[in-house]
Amino acid sequence: MTSLHETDAATGPRTGRPRRRRIGTGAPLPLLLPALVGLAFLVLPLIALLVRAPWGAMPDLLTSTEVWQALRLSLICATAATTVSLVLGVPLAWLLARVEFPGRGLVRALVTLPLVLPPVVGGVALLMALGRNGVIGKWLDSWFGVTLPFTTTGVVIAEAFVAMPFLVISVEGTLRAADPRYEEAATTLGASRFTAFRRVTLPLIAPGIAAGAVLAWARALGEFGATITFAGNFPGRTQTMPLAVYLALQNDPDAAIALSLVLLAVSIAVLAGLRDRWMRAA
């Protein structure tokens, strides 16, 4: 008589389930070589930035008035753009995830279009829409005397335009993963749809909103093309850190490297902050 613990070579323990075969950990050479080349391609430029950095002159470079103006403006504008993205993007993500309506796929494609659209094209589009002679901008100028291009507000608009899709995608994915029956239960108990969203859904998707907001903030902080096209490059008013790097690269390469290291440090901090969320998702 065989024991209950007896195993079979094909099925393992007698549970009727096929045995899971262990996959070898060795990487085949045709995959290993391109993987290492790809890793070097992505990492070596960052190492070169660290190697060529003027570490001795770094304190003087980073404490100049121009650098602090650009850094302060970047932080303010990126935070404002993230706030705009939260106010507009979270309801938009809820609409895409929870409401069935004709053309929803087209709307989702339009929302994600700035992710693949060249930033300069986005800046031109903003000029055509909100410029002094734009489709909407001419009415803002004639009716209210409001001019958006080449202003600090223009920087916020340009950054929000390219950053909001990151938040929408993150929040929509979290909403699709959340069980809608909690909202349905709240509505059956007498809560309105908005109350159910505010009291039930928001606490459930708060981690997704936080992750999307961090990604949007980092994207807004590093925005260049749409900003320089729509808002220009005026020190103290529209010159953010990426624009300051571009300008310094022409006149003072050491300052450009120092500013680049600041943005690199911010990017690493963002990745470190999101690491736990990615590991949980994995």
Side-chain angles (χ1 to χ4, degrees), residues 1-12:
M1 182 178 292
T2 58
S3 170
L4 292 176
H5 298 285
E6 185 177 348
T7 60
D8 183 83
T11 62

Side-chain angles (χ1 to χ4, degrees), residues 58 61-78 155 159 217-218 220-224 227 232-249 255-266:
M58 194 73 70
L61 292 172
L62 294 180
T63 54
S64 65
T65 304
E66 294 79 7
V67 170
W68 279 107
Q69 282 184 345
L71 179 59
R72 176 178 174 274
L73 185 66
S74 294
L75 295 176
I76 292 175
C77 291
V155 176
E159 292 181 351
W217 185 85
L221 188 69
E223 167 51 32
F224 175 82
T227 303
N233 186 12
F234 302 102
R237 189 171 66 179
T238 65
Q239 187 181 88
T240 57
M241 287 287 284
L243 273 62
V245 171
Y246 174 76
L247 185 63
L249 190 60
I257 294 174
L259 293 172
S260 299
L261 288 176
V262 173
L263 293 177
L264 178 62
V266 172

Side-chain angles (χ1 to χ4, degrees), residues 180-263:
R181 289 178 296 180
Y182 293 110
E183 298 177 52
E184 296 170 1
T187 56
T188 58
L189 294 175
S192 64
R193 294 293 298 273
F194 179 71
T195 301
F197 171 77
R198 182 172 56 89
R199 301 292 296 274
V200 177
T201 307
L202 273 183
L204 287 175
I205 65 173
I209 294 177
V214 172
L215 286 174
W217 185 85
R219 180 64 184 87
L221 188 69
E223 167 51 32
F224 175 82
T227 303
I228 197 171
T229 306
F230 183 65
N233 186 12
F234 302 102
R237 189 171 66 179
T238 65
Q239 187 181 88
T240 57
M241 287 287 284
L243 273 62
V245 171
Y246 174 76
L247 185 63
L249 190 60
Q250 305 175 32
N251 304 317
D252 190 355
D254 287 346
I257 294 174
L259 293 172
S260 299
L261 288 176
V262 173
L263 293 177

